[in-house]
Amino acid sequence: MKRVAIIQSSYIPWRGFFDLISRCDEYIIYDQVAYSKGHWHNRNKIKTETGTRWITIPVMTSDRLGQPIEDVEIKGDWAQAHFAQVRQAYKKAPAATDFLPVIESLYKQAEKLQLLTEVNELFLRHIVDTLKLKIVITRDRIYSPRGARSERVLATCLAAGATHYLSGPSAKVYLDEAMFRDAGVTVEWMSYGPYPEYTQLHGAFDGQVSVIDSILNGNGAGLAALPAQPQGAAGC
């Protein structure tokens, strides 16, 4: 059995993302599909003394319809400003001494990169290592998928040798489960949470923030306390 997740890259995602991929053997970064303005590709939220705040990587997008995420370039200087906001927000967090220097190092590496997807992968891989998740991370490019929507996702699953595909619930509106079943791939639907609260800085608890909030507050991603299987899973 081989379970895969195929998700577009996002900037320092929330803990639900890491919960999903932690249940898989392989996470395929799905970045040959179109960039979507206002999506999580280049932004996320942190908690600050003045409330929850977006931090957004400035990007240059072309007029080309359906520009792939993997081609989106970063515009201007941004990394130092982002780290300054993270440092100010979390300097009093329990794990700040251990992890703020690491995060600063990542931002110093990120400021030398030109492509958004490279920055997202840089943070992703380090967080996966920090959380000690046992998962292979690859890119959809290596599987040369064709088609659109269900056909494209299925082609990627088959090229990766997947027997099970774990998807977020939002894909239910378009995913053709019969197509997957006919091809011998079992579709499973992720059920996020409910996630336990943890001690958090700056007021009332907010779970819809970047996973770095959880890490800096000394909670990892809280994955150990979560259910062992996604909805409909047959077990790995």
Side-chain angles (χ1 to χ4, degrees):
M1 172 178 173
K2 180 179 181 180
R3 179 185 291 148
V4 303
I6 304 173
I7 309 171
Q8 298 162 16
S9 69
S10 299
Y11 178 44
I12 49 174
W14 75 306
R15 60 176 168 168
F17 168 87
F18 292 95
D19 178 15
L20 190 155
I21 68 169
S22 73
R23 303 168 188 269
C24 298
D25 301 291
E26 181 178 356
Y27 163 48
I28 302 168
I29 303 173
Y30 197 46
D31 279 359
Q32 287 196 304
V33 293
Y35 172 83
S36 179
K37 185 177 180 181
H39 200 271
W40 300 92
H41 307 314
N42 66 319
R43 64 178 190 162
N44 220 301
K45 295 185 287 186
I46 60 173
K47 285 194 71 181
T48 76
E49 293 178 347
T50 57
T52 302
R53 175 183 297 176
W54 287 100
I55 50 175
T56 304
I57 301 175
V59 297
M60 296 183 291
T61 54
S62 71
D63 295 330
R64 177 169 48 126
L65 183 64
Q67 180 185 16
I69 300 166
E70 67 177 5
D71 292 344
V72 174
E73 296 185 11
I74 295 171
K75 176 175 62 178
D77 297 327
W78 63 278
Q80 291 184 18
H82 279 213
F83 176 67
Q85 291 180 71
V86 171
R87 179 178 56 200
Q88 179 62 30
Y90 295 104
K91 61 185 178 182
K92 296 181 181 178
T97 300
D98 292 331
F99 285 106
L100 277 181
V102 175
I103 293 174
E104 181 178 21
S105 174
L106 290 172
Y107 275 111
K108 286 181 177 179
Q109 295 175 61
E111 68 183 355
K112 300 174 184 177
L113 302 175
Q114 291 184 313
L115 295 177
L116 174 64
T117 193
E118 293 176 338
V119 170
N120 289 347
E121 186 174 359
L122 171 69
F123 281 92
L124 166 72
R125 288 186 178 276
H126 190 84
I127 294 170
V128 163
D129 287 345
T130 298
L131 300 176
K132 296 181 172 56
L133 304 184
K134 304 299 183 182
I135 184 169
V136 174
I137 300 172
T138 55
R139 289 193 164 278
D140 59 347
R141 170 171 289 279
I142 71 170
Y143 295 121
S144 303
R146 296 289 184 268
R149 295 215 166 192
S150 293
E151 183 182 2
R152 188 179 190 89
V153 174
L154 176 58
T156 306
C157 285
L158 293 174
T163 59
H164 291 67
Y165 169 57
L166 179 58
S167 175
S170 63
K172 287 184 178 181
V173 298
Y174 71 82
L175 197 74
D176 185 345
E177 290 190 64
M179 180 185 295
F180 280 73
R181 185 170 56 250
D182 291 345
V185 178
T186 299
V187 175
E188 300 170 330
W189 297 104
M190 181 67 181
S191 180
Y192 292 113
Y195 296 122
E197 294 186 6
Y198 53 89
T199 302
Q200 198 178 56
L201 299 176
H202 312 310
F205 183 80
D206 184 350
Q208 303 298 313
V209 291
S210 168
V211 73
I212 63 171
D213 181 277
S214 180
I215 292 172
L216 283 161
N217 279 302
N219 186 60
L223 300 182
L226 299 175
Q229 296 293 336
Q231 182 180 354
C236 281

